[in-house]
Amino acid sequence: MNPVNILIVDDKEENIIALEALLKRNDIKLFTTTSPNDALKIAWENHISIALVDVQMPEMDGFELVEMLKSNPRTKDIMVIFVTAISKEARYAVKGFDAGAVDYLYKPLDPYITSAKVDAFIQLARTQEEIKHKNDELQNYAMVVRNSADIICSVNADNLRIKSINPAVETILGYTADEALGKSIVDFATEGDQTAFRKKLGEIIKDNVAMSVAEFQFNTFNKSVIWTGCRISYRARTIFMNISDISPQKSYQQQLIKSKEAAEYGKKVKEAFLANMSHELRTPVNGIIGLTNLLYKTPINDQQKNLLSMLETSSKSLLGVINDVLDLSKIEAGKFSIIPTPNNVRSIINSVHGLLKYQADEKNLEFLLEIDNDVPETLLLDSLRLNQILMNLLSNAIKFTDRGHVKLIVSVLQKTEDSKVKLKFSVEDTGIGIPQARLSRIFESFEQAEDDTANKYGGTGLGLTIVKRLVELKGGDLTVSSKVGEGSIFNFTNWFTISQRVTEPKVIKKSSKLAPFVGTRVLVAEDNMINQFMVTKMLKDWNIEFEVADNGYKAIEKLKEQDFDLILMDTHMPALNGYQTARIIRMDFEEPKRSIPIISLSASAFEHEQVEAISSGMNDVLPKPFEAEELHNKISKLLKGRIMPKMPV
């Protein structure tokens, strides 16, 4: 609490001392003087609330001093108490009150009366100061309301009519303040929003809500419609509203929603297109690879064998391009997962080196491998993705190097006490190099080091894009340095966790003759004729009886008429697809047909389609293209005991 300033004016020092002794308090600040002229100066420079003024003084008497104080706007509100010893006659009191005094104290001063009167006037001074402060605040608020860009109004809670409103109503709605007064605030809302607006106000009144926010559409004077943001408070049967025009924000918000919906629709269309493309492209590739494998098992001469080898290489190359496009799409869609498991990192590196060595040998390149001795043997990592990264980087290096060497260096950059290790994989080559101006663009989709690179060396320009995305997904960093004509160095660094156990990869052993099944009947639901031929040829080799249906409806009819031990179900079929067919079997058929094992044969590389296959009731998924050993293994797993214990010689 701020102290109250009190001025004491008396020509005798001893009287001032006596008053000071009586008025000494923490909530008072005293100013004293024996000169009326000095008193005027003190009052001018300080915010004096109360003045105790002696009546008789030599230079200027108290009446004259008070008249001067009251004549000045800055000091006119000082409450003056005359202190006098001359007389208690009424004429002196009247003269003092006429001059502007509010009370008298008579000498000799009674301490109790003096303290009581001064205390009363201190309280009065505080009250006046508070009232003045409130008035200033009200004037400030009134100015803010008048000049506000928003509509600010008070509304009668009983009839919802406007009691007061600021001039902004003319700017926002086109009505003058006088035209708006007395109207129902609800009438300004559009016809479609009036019921909701009235209901909202009713709830605020009923629940005595201190503050609420809502959005409604209002009609303007010229019949246009705007969006308004309403901040509403309620007190003492009055609704106070702040109404702002939020049409620009609403328009922007609606544009964002439309853009989001368009982007989501585009994403769905893209995913649907890629899923369909995956099926449509991988299905014939599956047929080509399958038929090639079948032809290998027929009597062929060396020339035919070479042609089949080239056919197999071409089809696998095509499959690689398709997989690159699909991998990139899955990464962009956020549906590409990294699954770390304990793996022997040295084994992965050596395997990649071994697979690509023949390519380097064909070009008479040195293919070097250096692994630091302190590289841990077992790490938590996604072996498939690490393999993919190294295969892309190394095969690229070999492709663009005509002489010299390609080298893979694996080194340890840092180790921590909590079993973490930071490895650096460096792929060096002495190839054609990359121009400095193109270095920043080689990781972009379909970009290559030179405009004619694709013509000279082939490729889609997706390999490095996928590598960079995979590295980033793994939390690593990929950098490149290069000089034209001297070669390039790609560095991939990442943190790994050291592990003690290794996840052994499942290896499906290839055999020239797979064991036949005993008394087994399979329904093949597949619409592609080549795939029908390929699958049924495999089934024949395993002594499996089969029926073929080229859509889901036919598959259901055959299942109703005949008994089968297993169904091979293509997911993308005309009329009724594999997912729908599987659901009908699981829901509408009686046992034991309801529980018949179903293997999904899908050419889609998207994980969500594989998940959908399982959720629709299928038991297992075999993505196309697949090897005969993979299909045999899955059938064996689901039909335990049906396979012959020994393979025929």
Side-chain angles (χ1 to χ4, degrees):
M1 183 183 294
N2 294 326
V4 173
N5 295 334
I6 297 179
L7 172 64
I8 300 174
V9 188
D10 198 307
D11 62 328
K12 294 182 179 178
E13 193 69 42
E14 60 269 24
N15 290 338
I16 291 175
I17 294 170
L19 277 170
E20 282 181 325
L22 282 172
L23 301 177
K24 191 172 183 181
R25 288 165 45 174
N26 292 332
D27 61 343
I28 292 174
K29 184 177 181 181
L30 294 175
F31 296 83
T32 62
T33 181
T34 56
S35 166
N37 288 322
D38 286 346
L40 290 171
K41 184 179 179 184
I42 291 169
W44 177 264
E45 294 176 349
N46 300 278
H47 182 64
I48 302 297
S49 298
I50 301 169
L52 300 176
V53 181
D54 186 26
V55 172
Q56 291 180 312
M57 290 181 289
E59 297 177 20
M60 181 191 307
D61 68 22
F63 298 131
E64 293 173 318
L65 173 61
V66 172
E67 285 174 354
M68 294 185 71
L69 288 172
K70 294 298 179 181
S71 65
N72 192 316
R74 191 162 178 173
T75 58
K76 68 183 180 64
D77 293 327
I78 296 174
M79 291 182 288
V80 178
I81 302 173
F82 278 127
V83 182
T84 181
I86 54 174
S87 174
K88 294 184 180 180
E89 291 182 20
R91 61 191 180 92
Y92 288 105
V94 170
K95 186 177 180 181
F97 289 132
D98 285 343
V102 294
D103 208 343
Y104 266 86
L105 286 172
Y106 296 97
K107 300 176 182 177
L109 296 174
D110 184 313
Y112 297 105
I113 293 174
T114 301
S115 294
K117 284 193 175 185
V118 171
D119 190 62
F121 283 112
I122 286 172
Q123 297 302 322
L124 181 59
R126 290 195 185 282
T127 302
Q128 287 181 338
E129 188 65 31
E130 190 175 340
I131 291 170
K132 185 175 181 299
H133 179 68
K134 294 286 186 187
N135 284 336
D136 289 342
E137 279 189 345
L138 286 172
Q139 287 179 4
N140 292 337
Y141 286 139
M143 186 175 293
V144 169
V145 169
R146 280 196 304 272
N147 297 325
S148 173
D150 295 343
I151 297 171
I152 299 174
C153 63
S154 61
V155 176
N156 189 318
D158 296 322
N159 55 23
L160 301 183
R161 295 190 177 278
I162 298 170
K163 295 162 61 176
S164 65
I165 195 165
N166 68 337
V169 67
E170 188 167 1
T171 305
I172 294 176
L173 296 179
Y175 296 91
T176 65
D178 290 338
E179 288 173 333
L181 285 173
K183 289 183 179 291
S184 171
I185 189 68
V186 177
D187 290 344
F188 288 102
T190 59
E191 187 176 348
D193 274 8
Q194 284 186 3
T195 301
F197 190 22
R198 189 184 301 276
K199 182 181 178 183
K200 181 70 175 178
L201 295 177
E203 289 172 352
I204 290 170
I205 296 167
K206 179 180 172 236
D207 299 332
N208 199 23
V209 177
M211 174 58 70
S212 182
V213 178
E215 294 178 358
F216 297 102
Q217 294 184 86
F218 276 30
N219 289 313
T220 65
F221 181 79
N222 61 8
K223 305 304 180 186
S224 62
V225 176
I226 64 168
W227 272 98
T228 63
C230 303
R231 291 174 291 283
I232 310 167
S233 58
Y234 174 69
R235 185 173 179 270
R237 303 303 300 166
T238 300
I239 299 169
F240 301 94
M241 297 183 67
N242 183 300
I243 303 170
S244 55
D245 182 359
I246 60 168
S247 297
Q249 298 96 304
K250 261 301 187 188
S251 175
Y252 180 64
Q253 185 182 27
Q254 288 169 348
Q255 287 175 12
L256 283 178
I257 291 170
K258 287 179 181 177
S259 298
K260 180 175 178 288
E261 289 173 348
E264 288 176 348
Y265 175 74
K267 184 181 175 184
K268 287 179 181 176
V269 169
K270 180 181 176 183
E271 285 184 5
F273 167 75
L274 288 170
N276 188 54
M277 186 189 76
S278 166
H279 178 77
E280 294 301 325
L281 291 178
R282 289 165 67 95
T283 295
V285 172
N286 173 56
I288 295 168
I289 294 173
L291 291 174
T292 304
N293 289 332
L294 291 176
L295 281 170
Y296 269 125
K297 297 175 183 178
T298 64
I300 53 175
N301 58 37
D302 289 341
Q303 184 183 10
Q304 290 169 330
K305 189 173 182 180
N306 288 334
L307 290 172
L308 285 174
S309 178
M310 286 189 285
L311 179 62
E312 184 179 34
T313 301
S314 298
S315 58
K316 286 185 176 178
S317 175
L318 175 59
L319 183 61
V321 173
I322 295 168
N323 288 339
D324 278 352
V325 173
L326 295 174
D327 279 351
L328 187 61
S329 302
K330 286 191 281 186
I331 291 171
E332 289 176 347
K335 295 183 177 180
F336 199 94
S337 55
I338 300 292
I339 306 170
T341 55
N343 283 278
N344 187 319
V345 68
R346 291 173 179 271
S347 175
I348 295 169
I349 295 166
N350 285 316
S351 174
V352 171
H353 182 265
L355 283 170
L356 294 176
K357 193 173 188 315
Y358 79 96
Q359 290 185 15
D361 290 343
E362 285 180 348
K363 298 184 73 174
N364 293 319
L365 299 174
E366 281 190 275
F367 192 28
L368 308 172
L369 174 62
E370 293 179 11
I371 305 176
D372 281 3
N373 291 330
D374 55 350
V375 172
E377 192 160 297
T378 308
L379 299 174
L380 274 178
L381 52 84
D382 189 323
S383 59
L384 179 63
R385 303 312 169 196
L386 178 60
N387 185 290
Q388 198 171 357
I389 291 168
L390 295 178
M391 286 288 285
N392 265 298
L393 291 177
L394 288 167
S395 59
N396 247 20
I398 293 169
K399 180 197 292 187
F400 296 112
T401 303
D402 293 324
R403 63 180 183 275
H405 71 267
V406 172
K407 183 191 290 186
L408 171 60
I409 305 169
V410 185
S411 55
V412 175
L413 295 182
Q414 193 175 343
K415 270 187 180 179
T416 64
E417 293 180 358
D418 59 344
S419 298
K420 301 282 186 183
V421 61
K422 188 176 187 180
L423 296 185
K424 178 181 178 183
F425 298 82
S426 296
V427 176
E428 300 179 3
D429 67 63
T430 55
I432 61 173
I434 304 166
Q436 196 67 29
R438 305 283 290 209
L439 275 178
S440 61
R441 298 176 57 188
I442 60 170
F443 296 114
E444 295 177 15
S445 300
F446 308 107
E447 284 288 340
Q448 297 201 355
E450 294 285 1
D451 293 332
D452 62 347
T453 299
N455 295 329
K456 289 181 181 178
Y457 296 94
T460 60
L462 288 176
L464 288 177
T465 305
I466 293 169
V467 167
K468 186 165 180 63
R469 302 288 178 87
L470 285 174
V471 168
E472 289 171 350
L473 278 174
K474 291 167 71 66
D477 187 36
L478 180 66
T479 59
V480 60
S481 60
S482 185
K483 287 185 178 179
V484 175
E486 295 184 20
S488 307
I489 302 174
F490 286 84
N491 293 312
F492 155 44
T493 59
N494 202 3
W495 282 96
F496 298 93
T497 301
I498 300 171
S499 179
Q500 300 304 319
R501 61 186 182 85
V502 180
T503 303
E504 295 295 338
K506 293 181 180 178
V507 179
I508 299 174
K509 294 181 180 179
K510 289 194 176 183
S511 172
S512 58
K513 189 85 170 176
L514 293 169
F517 292 85
V518 179
T520 302
R521 298 191 79 246
V522 171
L523 174 59
V524 179
E526 168 67 67
D527 64 307
N528 184 277
M529 290 182 64
I530 295 174
N531 284 331
Q532 287 177 7
F533 172 77
M534 185 184 70
V535 171
T536 56
K537 178 68 172 65
M538 292 177 186
L539 298 181
K540 281 179 185 177
D541 290 344
W542 305 332
N543 289 352
I544 293 176
E545 295 181 25
F546 57 85
E547 288 284 337
V548 177
D550 58 11
N551 65 53
Y553 288 118
K554 291 181 180 179
I556 288 171
E557 289 303 316
K558 285 185 179 292
L559 186 59
K560 285 179 181 177
E561 297 167 0
Q562 304 175 50
D563 293 330
F564 297 96
D565 300 297
L566 181 134
I567 299 175
L568 298 177
M569 182 85 71
D570 181 32
T571 51
H572 291 264
M573 292 186 293
L576 192 70
N577 65 37
Y579 308 125
Q580 296 165 329
T581 306
R583 288 191 179 96
I584 290 171
I585 293 169
R586 297 302 185 220
M587 294 175 66
D588 296 349
F589 277 74
E590 299 293 332
E591 295 292 356
K593 290 185 179 181
R594 175 183 289 184
S595 300
I596 185 171
I598 304 174
I599 297 176
S600 166
L601 301 180
S602 173
S604 173
F606 286 91
E607 187 178 341
H608 70 272
E609 291 207 17
Q610 297 176 17
V611 171
E612 186 176 354
I614 298 300
S615 64
S616 67
M618 301 194 202
N619 300 81
D620 206 342
V621 177
L622 182 59
K624 301 173 185 176
F626 54 82
E627 300 286 345
E629 290 80 4
E630 293 177 285
L631 178 59
H632 189 279
N633 186 54
K634 287 190 180 289
I635 295 175
S636 302
K637 183 180 174 183
L638 291 172
L639 299 180
K640 294 175 183 176
R642 292 297 185 99
I643 193 168
M644 290 185 67
K646 291 182 181 179
M647 293 195 310
V649 180

